């Protein structure tokens, strides 16, 4: 197995691929809207703290297990557990991860479909000369039309599955190499533009001056869940990528580079979006529609607005594409590990995710008032519980596995940071990340 598995072409390709997984709707759509709902700077502060204290060390743990195992997540974990003389049941963690990304990809694909719709609309100049109220009403009408949502959801999922079916080096690597640098350039332009608007000052104080009294266990749980979500950690998805990591590359350095790039994108997107919110006197707590309503409103009034807006949605679509490819990977790798061909595994994943995604599609019309669990409709449920509960739980178990269970020598080698680097990382995981995750999860659930 070791010899036959494909590897990422270069170290840079690995970092670009993991960044491609990390940067997506989480940074550009989810981060602004839940930050808006949770009071701004406090949420941002917690989220950055959780990225550093838990997300980063756990990201290393997850990639490390894949790198040491060089197999599909389930097989890597099972193999390393057997090597350490531990229970083979650890491998079910891989299946739990696949279930988590199954739920996440189902709504991810639906929301990514919204940006296809908005890309086409902005190229057509549909937003030109429209007021905020008109654009908001247009968005609501779009959500209430299951046929348009279904069309875009289907299109996006087909785009994803085609790349996944094409295989690792051919599909993912080339795509990432091509697209990621473009994404950063476009975001910088966008944030630079925001700095020239009168909403820029208020946006900065909203994002960076925390009111510490607003910290509650629930806000902490959401910020923690978002740290996992945005780094793509906790569902064995990065583990699947770790299996393809080149032999000579420091894992901590690669992971830190990804985390910096990821947080930077969220901040740039946040600055751009909240500048618009404050310049237009809008409500930061608008919800999932925040980005989709604010940006067209702002750009509609600008010289060259439709062009900037089209670029923005193009960028968003590219970012979500590379993320959804990563979301599909653990499921495909698991089915492949069970003997299915890559093409067949991809098709099976595509069809089942499409089906579950239809419940999210209908959550904006027919099923809007259908409370499935905890008073939430299907979309609210899959976009809340898997990111906020399943990911921290999965990350926690992966961390315990990496720090306590798997053979120490294997972990040391796969981290590739020397004995001192290894001891520091493991101590951080054992005495900070794992207990902190337990406390936040426990407090949040109660
Ligand atoms: N991190 C991505 C985003 O921010 C979403 C994502 C990609 C993800 N792969 C993942 C989330 C794996 C959890 C697990 O949009």
């Amino acid at each position: 197995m070791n010899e036959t598995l494909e590897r990422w072409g270069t170290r840079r390709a690995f970092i670009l691929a993991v960044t491609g997984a990390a940067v997506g709707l989480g940074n550009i759509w989810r981060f602004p809207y839940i930050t808006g709902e949770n009071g701004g700077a406090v949420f941002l502060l917690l989220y950055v703290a959780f990225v550093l204290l838990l997300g980063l060390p756990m990201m290393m743990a997850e990639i490390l297990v894949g790198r040491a195992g060089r197999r599909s997540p389930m097989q890597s974990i099972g193999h390393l557990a057997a090597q350490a003389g531990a229970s083979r049941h650890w491998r079910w963690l891989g299946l739990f991860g696949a279930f988590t990304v199954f739920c996440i990809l189902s709504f991810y694909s639906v929301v990514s479909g919204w940006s296809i719709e908005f890309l086409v609309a902005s190229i057509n100049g549909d937003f030109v000369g429209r007021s905020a109220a008109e654009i908001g009403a247009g968005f609501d009408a779009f959500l209430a039309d299951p046929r348009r949502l279904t069309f875009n959801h289907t299109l996006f999922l087909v785009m994803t599955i085609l790349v996944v079916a094409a295989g690792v080096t051919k599909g993912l690597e080339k795509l990432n190499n091509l697209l990621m640098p473009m994404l950063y350039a476009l975001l910088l332009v966008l944030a630079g533009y925001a700095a020239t608007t009168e909403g820029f000052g208020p946006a900065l104080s909203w994002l960076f001056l925390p009111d510490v009294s607003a910290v509650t266990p629930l806000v902490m749980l959401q910020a923690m869940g978002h740290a996992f979500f945005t780094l793509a950690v906790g569902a064995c998805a990065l583990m699947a990528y770790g299996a393809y990591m080149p032999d000579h590359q420091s894992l901590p350095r690669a992971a830190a580079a990804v985390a910096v790039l990821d947080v930077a994108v969220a901040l740039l997107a946040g600055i751009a979006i909240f500048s618009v919110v404050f310049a237009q006197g809008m409500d930061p707590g608008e919800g999932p529609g925040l980005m989709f309503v604010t940006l067209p409103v702002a750009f509609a009034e600008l010289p060259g607005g439709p062009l900037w807006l089209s670029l923005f949605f193009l960028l968003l679509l590219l970012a979500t594409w590379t993320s959804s490819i990563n979301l599909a990977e653990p499921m495909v790798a698991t089915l492949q590990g069970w003997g299915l061909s890559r093409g067949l595994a991809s098709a099976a994943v595509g069809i089942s995710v499409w089906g579950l995604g239809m419940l999210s599609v209908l959550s904006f019309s027919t099923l809007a008032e259908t409370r499935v669990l905890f008073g939430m409709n299907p979309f609210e449920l899959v976009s809340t519980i898997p990111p906020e509960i399943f990911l921290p739980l999965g990350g926690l178990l992966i961390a315990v596995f990496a720090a306590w269970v798997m053979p120490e020598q294997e972990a040391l080698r796969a981290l590739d940071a020397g004995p001192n680097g290894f001891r520091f990382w493991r101590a951080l995981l054992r005495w900070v990340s794992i207990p902190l995750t337990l406390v936040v999860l426990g407090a949040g659930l109660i």
Side-chain angles (χ1 to χ4, degrees):
M1 187 83 190
N2 261 1
E3 292 72 29
T4 55
L5 202 61
E6 287 181 277
R7 298 284 160 88
W8 297 98
T10 61
R11 294 175 200 187
R12 187 164 159 271
F14 177 76
I15 294 185
L16 285 174
V18 178
T19 312
V23 176
L25 284 180
N27 310 64
I28 298 171
W29 166 72
R30 197 174 191 272
F31 169 75
Y33 104 71
I34 53 175
T35 302
E37 285 180 342
N38 285 294
V42 164
F43 188 85
L44 175 65
L45 198 75
L46 286 169
Y47 147 79
V48 172
F50 287 139
V51 163
L52 295 177
L53 295 176
L54 341 156
L56 205 48
M58 288 189 176
M59 182 190 224
M60 295 178 210
E62 185 173 329
I63 297 175
L64 175 155
V65 172
R67 192 187 202 184
R70 295 266 185 232
R71 290 162 171 82
S72 82
M74 261 187 102
Q75 293 172 317
S76 290
I77 300 171
H79 172 74
L80 293 168
Q83 217 178 323
S87 163
R88 296 257 298 150
H89 290 310
W90 276 102
R91 69 184 197 284
W92 297 113
L93 196 46
L95 202 60
F96 177 59
F99 176 70
T100 307
V101 288
F102 174 58
C103 301
I104 292 180
L105 185 55
S106 77
F107 81 83
Y108 205 91
S109 166
V110 173
V111 178
S112 300
W114 300 354
S115 35
I116 299 181
E117 177 88 8
F118 272 65
L119 173 61
V120 174
S122 53
I123 291 173
N124 285 339
D126 287 359
F127 302 112
V128 179
R130 296 259 215 102
S131 72
E134 282 168 334
I135 291 173
F139 182 66
D140 293 341
F142 166 60
L143 287 189
D145 184 349
R147 275 165 315 168
R148 282 159 79 194
L149 295 196
T150 304
F151 176 78
N152 290 299
H153 162 52
T154 310
L155 186 61
F156 184 80
L157 208 52
V158 167
M159 279 166 55
T160 300
I161 294 301
L162 284 181
V163 177
V164 173
V168 170
T169 43
K170 273 188 287 168
L172 317 194
E173 191 170 326
K174 283 204 190 104
L175 194 72
N176 276 293
N177 272 303
L178 190 72
L179 304 183
M180 294 312 290
M182 220 162 96
L183 189 152
Y184 285 93
L186 283 175
L187 256 184
L188 271 172
V189 169
L190 210 63
Y193 155 70
T196 67
T197 69
E198 80 265 31
F200 185 61
L204 289 190
S205 32
W206 156 263
L207 274 172
F208 296 106
L209 298 178
D211 163 21
V212 196
S213 68
V215 179
T216 66
L218 205 59
V219 172
M220 288 178 68
L221 186 71
Q222 284 182 278
M224 178 172 83
H226 190 69
F228 281 91
F229 185 87
T230 190
L231 292 179
V233 169
C236 303
L238 294 183
M239 195 181 291
Y241 278 17
Y244 312 117
M245 191 174 178
D247 278 325
H248 302 287
Q249 180 168 19
S250 155
L251 183 44
R253 233 179 280 166
V258 171
V260 168
L261 290 171
D262 186 68
V263 171
V265 172
L267 288 181
L268 289 175
I271 289 170
I273 287 172
F274 288 113
S275 296
V276 168
V277 166
F278 291 111
Q280 300 282 329
M282 298 172 124
D283 174 16
E286 161 94 30
L290 181 69
M291 181 204 84
F292 289 95
V293 176
T294 49
L295 292 186
V297 170
F299 289 118
E301 298 178 350
L302 286 170
L307 177 67
W308 290 120
L309 189 64
S310 307
L311 276 177
F312 177 83
F313 280 114
L314 183 64
L315 166 170
L316 178 65
L317 198 59
L318 302 180
T320 59
W321 198 4
T322 52
S323 295
S324 64
I325 288 164
N326 174 256
L327 283 163
E329 185 63 29
M331 292 183 273
V332 172
T334 304
L335 292 181
Q336 259 191 308
W338 290 345
L340 259 66
S341 74
R342 192 158 182 98
L344 206 57
S346 309
V349 166
I351 291 168
S352 42
V353 169
W354 184 86
L356 185 62
M358 285 309 292
L359 293 181
S360 285
V361 162
L362 297 174
S363 295
F364 297 94
S365 44
T366 333
L367 300 180
E369 303 305 324
T370 307
R371 309 280 166 228
V372 188
L373 212 62
F374 313 122
M376 294 190 262
N377 69 29
F379 171 79
E380 289 161 350
L381 196 68
V382 287
S383 63
T384 306
I385 304 298
E388 286 165 21
I389 314 280
F390 296 175
L391 288 180
L393 199 60
L396 184 73
L397 293 170
I398 294 168
V400 169
F401 184 78
W404 300 99
V405 179
M406 74 182 276
E408 191 178 317
Q409 279 313 312
E410 291 289 333
L412 173 70
R413 205 152 49 87
L415 190 70
D416 203 353
N420 289 331
F422 173 73
R423 273 194 292 273
F424 178 75
W425 163 80
R426 197 176 57 177
L428 188 64
L429 213 53
R430 283 183 174 176
W431 312 119
V432 180
S433 317
I434 293 174
L436 189 59
T437 307
L438 270 174
V439 168
V440 177
L441 251 170
L445 288 179
I446 293 163

